[in-house]
Amino acid sequence: MSGPRGDGFPELLVIGGGVAGVAAAFAAEQRGARVTLVHDRAGATELGSGALDWLGWERDAEAPAAVLPEALLRFSDALGAWQLTDAPARVVTALGLTRPARGVQRGVLDVSLLAGRRVAVPLLPRGDWDGAALCRALARDAALSRLGVRFDPVEVSVLRFRAEEVAPSRDLAAAHDAEERARWLAERLRPRAAEAWLFGPWLGLDTPASEVLSEALGVPVGETLSDVGQAAGARLGAALARLARRHAHVVEARVTALERDGARWLARCEAPDGSPEVLSAARVVLASGGLGAGGLTLTPARAGVSGGARLELSFAPGLGLELDGAPLGAASSLHGFELEQRGRFALERLGLAPSPAPGLVAAGDALAGEARTVLRSAHTGLLAGALGA
Amino acid sequence: MRVESSEPATDVDVVVIGGGVNGTGVARDAALRGLRVALFEKNDLAFGASGNSSGMIHGGPRYLTYDPDVTYSSCLDSGHIQAIAPHLLFRVPFLMPVHAGPLAGPTLEGYDAFFTLYDRYQPLKRGKPHVRLTGTDLARLEPGLKGDLAGGVAFDEWGIDGARLCVGNALDAMRHGASVRIHTSVTEVLRRDDGAVRGVAYRDELTGEVGALRAKLVVNASGAWAPITATLGGLSPKAARLRPGKGVHVVFDRRLTNYALVAQAIDGRQVFLEPWQNVSIIGTTDDDFYGDLDQVVATADEVRYLIQAIARVFPAIRGARAIGTYAGVRPTLYAWGPNEDRLSREHVIVDHARDGAAGLFSMLGGKLASYRLFAEEMTDVIARRLRCGVACKTHTAKLPGGEEAVDPVALARRFEVEPVTASRLVYRHGARSVEVLERARRAPREARVVCPCEPVTEAEIRYVVEHELATSVDDVSRRTRLGLGACGGMRCAAPCGALVAELTGRSPEVGRGLAVGFLERAARRRLSVLGPEQLRQEGLALAAQRAQLGVS
């Protein structure tokens, strides 16, 4: 395959299949655009913890009344994975920290709905789970004592095999996709007569086993927040993939360069098997995620130029890397920019510096200066999709 | 006229300042001889050069041509360390390749002759004699070696975990009555009107508690901090003058080679790639350093220098995944002029009676391999001064855990843990592994693996907090290597912090703070090795940190 495709060019090309890219595809398709979405597998979406933030949780706590945009609520309904309500939710991490959120992903226990209840926490020998320490930490939580929610460690064997003590939490979650496993677990929990159950992020990858359990036991059952790459991120990824297929032609490839060709954009791609492909569109939404996402190329140093090789974005024109609003030449320490001398959390402050180019819109984490929350990313995607349609 | 006792009452015979290998070595030696000892360390055991070395007690072939005494004493003492702590040692066979070219023949002959000389010292440390290899041999032994190889030599060294060595010495000192206080700074070396020392004033950095201890003698064993420590007694820093040399290492996520490789850097210095425990290390640099000793980190420049050098013989290093760096400052003896590499690794004991401070001694210089000998020499001086007639026993008395050999496989079977968990545990604790696993048997949940990279169990974390003075995630990490694997502590720092806080009677919030502190320092050590691919990985680390700890 080479050269631009024949007739019927898609109106809009979305680069990136994370939450911002899929939102852009969704918004543009609803406005009648023909959308192609090109993505190179998992991105930051897989880091999802299951808590949904709008401004970032510290700021959400200060300004809980912010009304979410209508378009975002429609997107959430179409996605079917989120619960966004007017009242702020409260969620628990595996370490026993609670925090507010604008909403939760299905499967995550919203403790703000459990006022006055005793929540059972299973004790089990997994490295990522210390039920006793979790309960001790939660007992000191001011928000929980206001709500009157208490957590009790409970001796109950919820692992079926010895290997599950050391299996990655994602594998344990996958085991709970089987309906039979959820029924087995429900039978084990039933005699305990708890008022609610809190588990780690193990209750299903494809199916929300927590809902099956909750129905079987007649009490709320849910998970703590997920750590990176655990169940919550995988569930969001699967839901986004389903939505993308409904609203766009999905191509799995890595975009290596984005070029201007007259009035159109050409995206040079590399398919998973290494074969080249070129996609073309009048408009492009760049939702390729934060730093390290596709399109970084290494330009060998020229003689007489110090500072080592330059890393720059092949996405032309005028996109560069910036730190705190100032442009940067290279992206990594090994190629010359000595991140260790840039202070705390330098990496997190890095972003793409977009400059106006006709028909090119950036969304999500590719936008520097935006708060990097999942709802915010989705919203920038929706705006970009509307602009691009 | 009233007769005054010439010996005023004291709390201890000797105060040792510094919890590195020299300080803990002296404390142990003196305690074994029945002296009353107190050791103060302002950070943690092995916080400085001892815990940030190349992890070898090599015989120092580098010094053979111009400082053969260092080679002899290093090899001899390396043999002693092997006898007292066999569990802490592992063999590191080295390959020294020579590339084809007009000088290859003479170079090989030179290496051969050199290592024939070194072979004379090898039996002292149970090392095997060197072997001359052909290019084909080298390519077979280490397929990653680059280019047209004329041949080379293989020689034998021993690897060791320097932090465990310090902990072992400190524990043994405590077992023999010494008091060891870490995270406690000596704020002043107290002196009498005639200038002689009479004790120290100290401050506990965690609780803020201050106090004073009366002592007959004070030993400054604070490594690169020695000149600063000298000023605590009112002396000029020049009284304990050093030429501190910073050395950095880059750590890779796995054992990249079967053998350690020697390569030549752009400036002709020799650097190495070494499979060490379950990672690989490249090192090292040697540069004058006059910065903040409590905050030494490798810079991107230093990392590039090392990677470039190793890539000349082992190009795959460029694609390998670096997971961090560590840096330490050697307390090299002062000399004006010579290149850093040529500075002596000899050690000296300074009696500050020459500066008017009788009873104060500084231990300057030295290296990991000969720490025991240095400690013996220092303790001999102390013993003579205090008229203690007991002889040194540190070359025969076993360090804790070295009492008997333990078979990890049998242990794994007996306690039903993974063999890899058992073997790493046995490496660190030797015969004491049984105590750790007994805990897990009494409370089965303690068998859970908290740090999967290493691995480290909850039982071991509890053990090092209860028996090895650990009070923070960093302390646990130095003792167990928790959080030093590929994931950089992402999975284990937080649960470890929760455990440490619980065991030391502090709140879960404090535990989270300990974890955040550890992760921040780890991130800082990692920044200088980030390649383009790893930037994404770093994003993961940050996201994990925020999701679990609420750090914004």
Side-chain angles (χ1 to χ4, degrees):
Chain A
M1 272 193 289
S2 64
R5 288 181 167 180
D7 294 329
F9 291 153
E11 303 274 358
L12 177 68
L13 176 66
V14 176
I15 300 174
V19 71
V22 174
F26 171 80
E29 199 259 0
Q30 292 222 314
R31 281 173 171 71
R34 276 197 307 275
V35 183
T36 297
L37 183 146
V38 55
H39 74 100
D40 182 26
R41 297 179 297 275
T45 297
E46 300 274 317
L47 310 182
S49 68
L52 305 177
D53 298 319
W54 174 241
L55 296 173
W57 65 270
E58 302 84 357
R59 289 167 63 204
D60 275 336
E62 291 160 18
V67 177
L68 297 176
E70 196 56 39
L72 186 59
L73 297 174
R74 276 201 305 278
F75 172 73
S76 169
D77 286 344
L79 185 64
W82 292 346
Q83 291 163 344
L84 293 173
T85 50
D86 291 338
R90 185 160 276 274
V91 287
V92 177
T93 74
L95 288 172
L97 194 71
T98 75
R99 67 139 166 130
R102 278 311 302 250
V104 294
Q105 206 173 298
R106 277 167 66 187
V108 173
L109 193 68
D110 177 357
V111 293
S112 71
L113 306 175
L114 303 179
R117 294 201 193 216
R118 299 193 80 104
V119 183
V121 177
L123 294 170
L124 57 149
R126 277 182 58 85
D128 57 4
W129 187 255
D130 185 341
L134 178 62
C135 291
R136 268 196 310 277
L138 290 172
R140 303 168 52 89
D141 189 279
L144 289 177
S145 46
R146 274 197 303 278
L147 283 165
V149 189
R150 279 170 299 174
F151 291 80
D152 303 315
V154 174
E155 288 281 358
V156 54
S157 177
V158 302
L159 300 180
R160 231 170 171 178
F161 308 103
R162 187 78 197 270
E164 289 182 348
E165 292 174 9
V166 290
S169 80
R170 241 170 119 134
D171 291 356
L172 185 57
H176 286 84
D177 280 339
E179 209 194 315
E180 178 268 334
R181 173 69 181 249
R183 278 203 306 273
W184 174 87
L185 184 54
E187 287 320 306
R188 304 224 118 191
L189 303 182
R190 201 185 305 281
R192 299 314 179 105
E195 294 169 351
W197 284 94
L198 175 68
F199 284 85
W202 314 312
L203 302 178
L205 269 196
D206 287 342
T207 54
S210 55
E211 286 167 22
V212 179
L213 281 168
S214 185
E215 203 162 306
L217 296 170
V219 296
V221 178
E223 300 174 342
T224 62
L225 294 184
S226 283
D227 209 335
V228 164
Q230 291 184 339
R235 267 180 235 146
L236 180 56
L240 287 170
R242 279 195 293 272
L243 190 64
R245 283 195 297 273
R246 284 211 296 276
H247 296 279
H249 169 58
V250 179
V251 178
E252 189 183 324
R254 183 179 179 88
V255 176
T256 53
L258 189 61
E259 295 163 7
R260 197 82 177 128
D261 177 26
R264 303 184 66 79
W265 289 97
L266 291 184
R268 301 196 182 277
C269 309
E270 195 180 284
D273 63 4
S275 60
E277 190 168 347
V278 178
L279 300 172
S280 160
R283 287 157 183 270
V284 171
V285 170
L286 181 61
S288 55
L291 210 84
L296 287 172
T297 55
L298 185 65
T299 319
R302 285 178 295 275
V305 179
S306 65
R310 263 173 81 85
L311 255 176
E312 43 189 36
L313 285 157
S314 61
F315 294 157
L319 282 173
L321 291 166
E322 61 165 41
L323 177 66
D324 299 339
L328 282 174
S332 77
S333 290
L334 280 187
H335 295 293
F337 99 30
E338 302 179 358
L339 274 169
E340 80 277 7
Q341 295 175 22
R342 305 264 173 169
R344 242 180 117 216
F345 296 120
L347 205 67
E348 198 160 56
R349 303 198 309 271
L350 283 175
L352 286 184
S355 72
L360 180 73
V361 191
D365 269 6
L367 263 181
E370 273 292 336
R372 287 159 193 200
T373 64
V374 64
L375 295 179
R376 205 65 163 187
S377 284
H379 189 236
T380 60
L382 294 167
L383 295 176
L387 275 173
Chain B
M1 207 170 84
R2 239 175 61 211
V3 179
E4 281 199 318
S5 161
S6 62
E7 289 278 317
T10 54
D11 301 307
V12 293
D13 296 319
V14 192
V15 161
V16 179
I17 306 173
V21 79
N22 290 336
T24 56
V26 170
R28 174 183 189 235
D29 197 337
L32 279 172
R33 298 193 209 194
L35 297 170
R36 296 171 304 155
V37 184
L39 182 145
F40 292 93
E41 161 58 52
K42 72 166 171 168
N43 291 303
D44 184 22
L45 299 172
F47 178 88
S50 305
N52 293 289
S53 73
S54 303
M56 277 184 285
I57 43 167
H58 60 69
R62 245 177 67 189
Y63 321 119
L64 189 55
T65 46
Y66 55 95
D67 221 349
D69 285 352
V70 172
T71 307
Y72 174 79
S73 58
S74 294
C75 285
L76 182 64
D77 238 59
S78 177
H80 289 319
I81 296 170
Q82 217 171 116
I84 61 174
H87 61 294
L88 281 184
L89 280 98
F90 47 92
R91 216 176 263 282
V92 183
F94 266 82
L95 299 182
M96 202 155 166
V98 175
H99 285 91
L103 290 176
T107 308
L108 268 172
E109 289 306 321
Y111 283 174
D112 206 13
F114 177 86
F115 281 102
T116 305
L117 193 62
Y118 189 46
D119 284 348
R120 293 213 301 238
Y121 299 93
Q122 284 281 16
L124 295 170
K125 61 182 176 85
R126 262 166 273 179
K128 296 175 179 170
H130 85 284
V131 181
R132 177 125 173 215
L133 300 167
T134 65
T136 326
D137 291 337
L138 279 170
R140 200 182 63 243
L141 291 171
E142 210 48 80
L145 278 172
K146 175 191 181 177
D148 187 9
L149 300 164
V153 290
F155 62 98
D156 206 20
E157 296 294 358
W158 291 99
I160 193 167
D161 185 321
R164 289 303 315 169
L165 185 61
C166 294
V167 170
N169 276 291
L171 290 180
D172 205 38
M174 287 157 70
R175 191 161 67 177
H176 291 91
S179 140
V180 174
R181 295 191 65 156
I182 62 169
H183 302 298
T184 305
S185 303
V186 167
T187 50
E188 191 184 347
V189 175
L190 306 169
R191 294 169 64 184
R192 293 198 307 243
D193 293 341
D194 64 359
V197 300
R198 60 180 173 89
V200 295
Y202 61 85
R203 181 180 62 238
D204 186 316
E205 297 295 347
L206 300 181
T207 63
E209 173 213 333
V210 294
L213 203 65
R214 293 166 299 174
K216 294 175 187 157
L217 304 175
V218 174
V219 175
N220 169 12
S222 49
W225 284 262
I228 301 172
T229 307
T231 64
L232 299 176
L235 303 184
S236 150
K238 284 184 183 168
R241 198 164 195 189
L242 294 173
R243 184 153 159 205
K246 179 184 177 191
V248 313
H249 295 84
V250 183
V251 186
F252 293 84
D253 66 336
R254 66 195 70 190
R255 291 172 71 96
L256 299 166
T257 52
N258 301 313
Y259 298 88
L261 304 176
V262 180
Q264 222 162 45
I266 188 87
D267 53 359
R269 292 184 63 251
Q270 275 179 358
V271 296
F272 62 86
L273 163 68
E274 172 198 17
W276 191 83
Q277 302 210 43
N278 42 18
V279 294
S280 291
I281 293 171
I282 64 175
T284 177
T285 57
D286 193 345
D287 295 295
D288 287 336
F289 180 82
Y290 298 100
D292 181 356
L293 291 169
D294 293 324
Q295 318 258 354
V296 190
V297 226
T299 66
D301 262 349
E302 291 165 326
V303 170
R304 282 195 292 266
Y305 163 84
L306 288 175
I307 290 183
Q308 200 172 41
I310 298 298
R312 288 156 67 125
V313 295
F314 189 74
I317 197 74
R318 289 204 185 273
R321 181 171 163 217
I323 56 171
T325 62
Y326 62 90
V329 179
R330 306 172 184 86
T332 340
L333 295 181
Y334 177 79
W336 190 87
N339 177 286
E340 292 96 327
D341 273 325
R342 288 286 165 146
L343 291 173
S344 171
R345 260 54 170 178
E346 269 289 11
H347 53 248
V348 297
I349 294 167
V350 176
D351 181 346
H352 289 293
R354 72 168 192 202
D355 307 303
L360 177 63
F361 299 89
S362 285
M363 298 174 76
L364 305 180
K367 58 202 290 292
L368 200 63
S370 49
Y371 89 93
R372 196 211 57 81
L373 181 68
F374 194 10
E376 179 180 340
E377 290 169 8
M378 183 70 243
T379 315
D380 283 346
V381 172
I382 295 168
R384 268 198 305 278
R385 191 64 63 93
L386 299 177
R387 297 188 191 85
C388 159
V390 185
C392 175
K393 288 193 280 274
T394 56
H395 55 303
T396 52
K398 306 283 188 190
L399 280 173
E403 299 86 356
E404 55 179 345
V406 180
D407 174 18
V409 178
L411 210 63
R413 212 172 290 137
R414 185 172 144 210
F415 288 96
E416 293 180 29
V417 294
E418 296 286 324
V420 62
T421 309
S423 71
R424 299 302 298 149
L425 187 68
V426 168
Y427 172 72
R428 292 189 285 269
H429 300 274
R432 292 193 160 195
S433 308
V434 179
E435 290 175 33
V436 178
L437 290 171
E438 291 284 2
R439 300 184 60 107
R441 174 128 80 190
R442 284 195 301 275
R445 244 191 312 278
E446 287 190 19
R448 76 187 175 107
V449 172
V450 176
C451 164
C453 301
E454 183 51 33
V456 181
T457 59
E458 176 178 330
E460 189 180 356
I461 295 175
R462 288 178 178 271
Y463 185 85
V464 300
V465 172
E466 288 171 8
H467 301 282
E468 298 186 350
L469 306 173
T471 56
S472 69
V473 178
D474 289 83
D475 293 354
V476 172
S477 172
R478 258 183 292 275
R479 285 156 184 73
T480 63
R481 296 191 54 72
L482 170 134
L484 299 180
C487 82
M490 273 167 59
R491 287 181 285 185
C492 58
C496 175
L499 270 173
V500 173
E502 181 208 332
L503 290 168
T504 52
R506 291 175 288 175
S507 71
E509 290 82 356
V510 170
R512 284 196 290 272
L514 295 175
V516 170
F518 175 81
L519 289 169
E520 259 181 41
R521 283 181 283 276
R524 217 174 140 225
R525 290 192 298 264
R526 222 163 28 235
L527 278 176
S528 53
V529 290
L530 291 182
E533 296 299 325
Q534 281 139 318
L535 284 170
R536 196 176 225 176
Q537 199 74 34
E538 202 57 25
L540 287 170
L542 285 165
Q545 214 165 315
R546 269 186 314 187
Q548 286 297 313
L549 298 161
V551 179
S552 57

